[in-house]
Amino acid sequence: MNTYKTYTERGQQHPNACARSLFELMERKQSNLSVAVDVTTKKELLSIADAVGPFVCVLKTHIDIVEDFDHDLVLQLEQLAKKHDFLIFEDRKFADIGNTVKHQYANGIYKIASWSHITNAHTVPGEGIIKGLGEVGLPLGRGLLLLAEMSSKGALTKGSYTSESVEMARRNKDFVFGFIAQHKMNEHDDEDFVVMSPGVGLDVKGDGLGQQYRTPHEVIVESGGDIIIVGRGIYGNPDQVEAQAKRYRQAGWDAYLERVRL
Ligand code: 6AU
């Protein structure tokens, strides 16, 4: 029996507003690709975002590595998100107590909550991190992903750490709509967490610094992930950015079609 619903079906049924708009957008653009644009200048970030924009559902940033960050960068990113119809995910990996992350999310130079539709958090501090971020993000309609499993070699995110993280998500479904993880996390028929999986590459298996790559087929068909996150595989060769974005988008979408047909 086919237990995998289409993105459209999942979007129609999902209780979380952020997940609903994400699923609708994925189907509309026929893309389950998120590009991680880990570059250090405003110019490169905007130029890659514009080049990959037509092919992605989510554009992922590490805003604190941009050396010439300014407010105009955020305005331009927001314009690109509208132009190309994608969501922005600031990969901040919050990891502190609720009161501190609240400020890190809302304030400081970056004011992440004001422009990033999605962000993520480690569960190591306990559930207060979700409550703190939620005080800022929920009124703005933002969504949170918990880091349930990391892609890197030797990661401690396994066993009871992972299962406790899933329990935390279950208790906070208004704000937490999914995970950064390597496998599907749903255990019950009535729950539908979105799994975004980093560590995706078609040409190499690792980067010499602990990162481990799997193919879109392994992630989506074999492990039940929903969205592939690809960084260096796409922006690594500046002349090939658009071609690689198309290639990964096709590989991700083909894997999804195979999964829903199984
Ligand atoms: O494809 P890469 O290896 O160039 O980039 C992978 C991207 C990077 C990491 O910071 C991020 O994915 N990432 C994450 C995220 C998204 O939270 C978690 C993880 O376990 N591994 C990982 O690589 O921007």
Side-chain angles (χ1 to χ4, degrees):
M1 204 187 100
N2 179 9
T3 50
Y4 289 116
K5 296 193 183 101
T6 63
Y7 295 138
T8 303
E9 286 165 331
R10 293 171 67 185
Q12 283 161 350
Q13 292 160 2
H14 212 285
N16 182 289
C18 196
R20 274 200 303 277
S21 42
L22 177 56
F23 279 130
E24 283 165 17
L25 144 54
M26 287 163 74
E27 199 75 61
R28 192 162 61 235
K29 286 184 79 176
Q30 305 220 325
S31 172
N32 52 14
L33 170 65
S34 171
V35 176
V37 195
D38 297 341
V39 293
T40 55
T41 66
K42 177 176 166 181
K43 189 166 169 241
E44 282 172 290
L45 176 48
L46 290 171
S47 132
I48 294 170
D50 202 15
V52 303
F55 313 106
V56 302
C57 57
V58 174
L59 189 94
K60 192 178 82 60
T61 56
H62 276 306
I63 208 69
D64 59 354
I65 66 174
V66 179
E67 288 177 5
D68 50 353
F69 171 86
D70 60 9
H71 185 59
D72 176 64
L73 169 57
V74 168
L75 294 179
Q76 292 206 52
L77 271 179
E78 286 179 315
Q79 279 167 10
L80 289 174
K82 284 211 180 77
K83 174 180 167 192
H84 295 300
D85 192 19
F86 59 69
L87 296 184
I88 305 174
F89 167 17
E90 164 55 22
D91 182 3
R92 173 61 178 79
K93 294 191 182 68
F94 293 100
D96 214 322
I97 59 167
N99 186 60
T100 302
V101 296
K102 212 167 93 174
H103 293 304
Q104 291 173 324
Y105 191 23
N107 310 126
I109 298 171
Y110 302 116
K111 305 191 189 348
I112 294 166
S114 74
W115 52 269
S116 181
H117 306 100
I118 301 168
T119 193
N120 54 355
H122 287 293
T123 51
V124 71
E127 220 158 318
I129 191 168
I130 303 173
K131 303 282 178 216
L133 292 170
E135 282 186 15
V136 175
L138 268 173
L140 297 169
R142 305 307 190 205
L144 183 70
L145 300 168
L146 299 181
L147 282 124
E149 288 174 330
M150 291 199 72
S151 60
S152 42
K153 194 166 188 305
L156 304 178
T157 48
K158 57 188 177 185
S160 63
Y161 184 93
T162 300
S163 46
E164 295 268 341
S165 303
V166 176
E167 289 304 325
M168 284 188 207
R170 287 195 177 114
R171 291 190 291 269
N172 294 279
K173 278 185 183 164
D174 50 347
F175 188 36
V176 178
F177 70 98
F179 302 100
I180 296 293
Q182 299 292 306
H183 303 94
K184 186 173 175 219
M185 291 284 146
N186 303 334
E187 272 173 23
H188 311 299
D189 286 345
D190 63 341
E191 69 184 9
D192 186 10
F193 292 115
V194 178
V195 169
M196 294 188 62
S197 298
V200 177
L202 284 164
D203 305 314
V204 287
K205 287 282 153 213
D207 68 353
L209 288 175
Q211 178 67 295
Q212 306 176 111
Y213 292 114
R214 297 181 301 161
T215 63
H217 190 273
E218 286 174 285
V219 169
I220 290 182
V221 181
E222 292 168 34
S223 303
D226 296 308
I227 294 177
I228 53 170
I229 299 177
V230 185
R232 286 162 287 181
I234 288 179
Y235 70 78
N237 180 345
D239 300 329
Q240 288 284 315
V241 173
E242 196 181 317
Q244 292 295 348
K246 284 186 187 162
R247 178 178 176 226
Y248 277 94
R249 182 246 203 153
Q250 194 62 49
W253 198 255
D254 286 348
Y256 159 68
L257 292 178
E258 185 177 335
R259 187 176 95 171
V260 289
R261 272 195 224 109
L262 281 177

